[in-house]
Amino acid sequence: MLDQRQHSMLDAMGIQLWSRRQQHQPGDIVDVTQPDEAEEQLHDWESLQQAVETCHRCGLAATRTQTVFGAGNQHAELMIIGEAPGADEDRQGEPFVGRAGQLLNQMLLACGFSREQVYIANILKCRPQGNCNPSPEEMISCRHYLNRQIELVAPKLLLAVGGVAATSLLDSDKPVGQLRGELYHYGGQKVPMIVTYHPAYLLRQPSEKRKSWEDLQFAMRKLGDLS
Ligand code: URA
């Protein structure tokens, strides 16, 4: 049985261990330092998706309509990482299908990508109740799934949209305004990553769209350099 520090070290080295956990109820405090008995390696898309669909690693399992795994091109050059499903996504089982999703689609089109050409996933696979920010425990519980998705897609570039995705992936507490404009490298595979504003934030603050467009142009330039 590995402790949390050993799990973190394996994560940092890009080695994925998978564990099934007991079922949790909403509001449960999940002790992520106590991984469960049966650890399994998840190799392919099918086993990964099935593990997500049957996941009970945190209390959100009890309140979700369904899990929201991810969508798009499994060999995409560009992978978008958002925060967590909202009400629309929870209902439809697909990421970014609400108003923020429509804006994301337009942002992608402006970069010459259709939604189907990129891969879209979230930090959390289940909707947080009442659209709360994901808790650290929920994000840790879900991280293995996202890491494996990133490994399988093997994108040239990750685009983290919004503060939750950016700070969680970069283990930072800086706001997006300070994280954008830099090229980062994520995880053991050192996947290039750029940060921009969340489309839901841009719907509330349309004046920030210009900065977001600068970020997208930066991302397109980096994608060009990486090809
Ligand atoms: N916001 C996100 O971060 N992800 C979604 O899937 C929908 C809205």
Side-chain angles (χ1 to χ4, degrees):
M1 188 74 71
L2 302 179
D3 65 23
Q4 183 59 27
R5 190 184 56 81
Q6 291 167 311
H7 273 277
S8 305
M9 284 169 65
L10 289 176
D11 262 354
M13 292 161 65
I15 298 168
Q16 307 294 321
L17 280 181
W18 302 84
S19 59
R20 283 194 198 286
R21 294 183 171 234
Q22 68 209 55
Q23 302 212 347
H24 298 283
Q25 298 305 312
D28 275 2
I29 304 294
V30 180
D31 183 355
V32 293
T33 64
Q34 298 291 323
D36 293 342
E37 320 288 293
E39 287 180 337
E40 57 177 351
Q41 292 275 350
L42 293 186
H43 296 290
D44 54 21
W45 282 107
E46 202 182 326
S47 51
L48 180 59
Q49 182 149 7
Q50 181 163 8
V52 168
E53 281 169 10
T54 55
C55 179
H56 288 85
R57 288 169 66 99
C58 79
L60 298 183
T63 52
R64 69 188 178 213
T65 303
Q66 58 191 312
T67 56
V68 177
F69 179 70
N73 177 0
Q74 294 178 345
H75 307 286
E77 293 192 347
L78 178 63
M79 180 163 172
I80 314 294
I81 304 182
E83 178 177 328
D88 294 314
E89 291 76 21
D90 176 69
R91 227 179 351 259
Q92 296 185 41
E94 190 171 327
F96 282 101
V97 291
R99 279 186 68 223
Q102 286 165 19
L103 180 55
L104 178 65
N105 293 348
Q106 287 169 6
M107 290 160 66
L108 291 171
L109 277 178
C111 298
F113 285 105
S114 69
R115 181 183 167 89
E116 293 71 30
Q117 283 175 306
V118 304
Y119 193 83
I120 306 176
N122 282 313
I123 296 283
L124 293 192
K125 309 305 184 205
C126 296
R127 180 188 182 208
Q129 277 296 287
N131 296 331
C132 291
N133 271 353
S135 72
E137 291 80 12
E138 289 158 359
M139 291 193 278
I140 290 171
S141 298
C142 230
R143 178 56 57 84
H144 291 80
Y145 300 133
L146 178 64
N147 283 347
R148 186 68 185 134
Q149 285 176 304
I150 294 171
E151 268 181 11
L152 287 170
V153 175
K156 288 200 174 119
L157 186 70
L158 296 172
L159 180 66
V161 296
V164 168
T167 56
S168 167
L169 295 174
L170 293 173
D171 199 15
S172 163
D173 54 9
K174 291 186 181 165
V176 173
Q178 285 177 33
L179 292 173
R180 55 184 288 275
E182 294 283 336
L183 183 68
Y184 303 94
H185 291 90
Y186 175 70
Q189 280 81 28
K190 302 210 176 307
V191 187
M193 181 174 122
I194 283 173
V195 168
T196 193
Y197 295 104
H198 195 286
Y201 170 76
L202 298 174
L203 288 172
R204 295 192 303 273
Q205 299 286 338
S207 58
E208 299 286 62
K209 283 185 182 171
R210 191 183 49 78
K211 290 189 201 157
S212 175
W213 174 233
E214 286 169 11
D215 298 337
L216 295 177
Q217 287 176 306
F218 177 47
M220 292 309 104
R221 277 200 304 280
K222 288 295 160 199
L223 259 187
D225 295 346
L226 293 163
S227 294

